[in-house]
Amino acid sequence: MPEYQAPRGMNDVLPEDEAVWRHIRDTAERVARLFDYHRIETPLVEEVGVFTHTAGEESDIVAKEMYAFDDRGGSTLALRPEGTAGVCRAYIEHGMASRPQPVRLFYFAPAFRYDRPQAGRYRQHWQFGVECIGDGSPAADLEVIELQRTLYEQLGLTDLVLRINSIGTAETRSTYRDVLRVHFAPHLETLSADSQRRYETNILRVLDSKEDAAHPAVQNAPNIRDYLSEQDGAHFDQVLALLDGLGVEYEVDPAIVRGLDYYARTVWEFQPRGAGGQSTVGAGGRYDGLIEMLGGKPTPGTGFATGIERIALEVDRTEPDLGTTAADVFTIPHGDDGPAAVLKLARELRAAGVAVHAGTPGRSMKAQLRAANASGARYAVIVGDDEAARGVAQLKPLLGSGAQREVALGEVVGAVEG
Ligand code: ATP
Ligand code: MG
């Protein structure tokens, strides 16, 4: 074992994974632009209150999973466990309320959670997320869900189910929590230790428990829908009607409660068909109280975040055509004068936009040709003393059946591009 390894639950993304990652990032960025969303970058760390005051002290990401530390000046900072709170902090700080509303933003960002590492669950993971801030209408929820659905469709993830619910307002949930306490009290003994803890701290999350999903008391729990205010119920009905109008398939799932205090009204998750909550590919919701929690004026918002690693797990299986990452030209310098001539030629090729893999001078011709053949490049360009003296190169096609030919140094760019 090497002396140093990446921290537990944190991964290196290696060049061989890059094709899949780039495919996901490019697709997400393209889809975001199709909906006129604009990229925002916020710092990796925020003052800890940005998270504790929004997600809630009892949420998993704050209570159990947050990486918080004091910096040298005595400020308590936290590595971002999720993207929305920081984006909303930026919305307030930069007076985005005075821009045309809603403000439509997206981000790619690593998130940090001291989670129990397993497949698809890491301590550092990447999220693509979008936020639509300043529009409280059901149409805004629909826009964000449609963006997320389009992303998965374009990535070829067709076997996902949209599970959706409404959790009303903070008052609704306060009433509903009392109802759940009464409901679960006689069953506490038979629930998992995790649910017993959640019963005390964050009882809504008992519904969301992976261990107790099949427990009769969870299955028969009172439905939050019966406790929604008239307005919240109407909002939810309109979201569902819009989904129906677009022909989007969904399941209303009363167990989708999300774990963060800032959510209000519509919440949803996209999950692989037939799988449990463990593998949720992306999740979203409305967060109408969040900006106020951060000291801003009351402002509605809605958005989602989706884990890039979890998408990569799904995309790998569907084997999209990800294209090649090989260079176009592999140079083979040899002799005393070849290397200098090759350097100059490589500069011209790159200036013309041709990717050049620089071969290593001093190796045998046989070894260099073997490396060139294995590289996936379209051409090898060979320059030795004789070629350098005559101002030419040997151009050797590596793919297909073309024959090697001699080309003037000044004509290599054209020959390779043609
Ligand atoms: P879970 O219930 O699986 O723990 P969560 O509710 O904590 O998920 P969100 O806060 O909704 O997750 O995060 C949005 C998305 O980020 C998830 O749907 C998932 O794709 C991804 N994600 C969350 N936590 C992790 C993690 N520890 N490792 C990898 N991806 C993650
Ligand atoms: Mg989690």
Side-chain angles (χ1 to χ4, degrees), residues 135-152:
D135 184 340
S137 72
D141 293 333
L142 197 87
E143 174 173 291
V144 166
I145 294 171
E146 174 66 359
L147 196 166
Q148 190 174 6
R149 190 202 61 80
T150 305
L151 169 65
Y152 298 143

Side-chain angles (χ1 to χ4, degrees), residues 18 34 82 119 138 340-341 352 393:
E18 170 59 17
L34 289 175
E82 61 98 28

Side-chain angles (χ1 to χ4, degrees), residues 121-167:
R121 188 172 294 284
Y122 311 106
R123 290 183 177 171
Q124 175 179 340
H125 70 276
W126 281 81
Q127 294 190 348
F128 166 70
V130 315
E131 313 294 353
C132 177
I133 306 177
D135 184 340
S137 72
D141 293 333
L142 197 87
E143 174 173 291
V144 166
I145 294 171
E146 174 66 359
L147 196 166
Q148 190 174 6
R149 190 202 61 80
T150 305
L151 169 65
Y152 298 143
E153 180 181 78
Q154 298 216 356
L155 286 168
L157 309 189
T158 49
D159 217 20
L160 299 180
V161 189
L162 167 61
R163 300 217 158 85
I164 190 165
N165 193 23
S166 175
I167 54 169

Side-chain angles (χ1 to χ4, degrees), residues 113 115 120-122 125 127 210 258 277 280-283 305 307 310:
R113 300 178 182 189
D115 221 328
R121 188 172 294 284
Y122 311 106
H125 70 276
Q127 294 190 348
K210 277 137 209 167
R258 311 296 301 136
T280 295
V281 176
R310 290 199 194 171

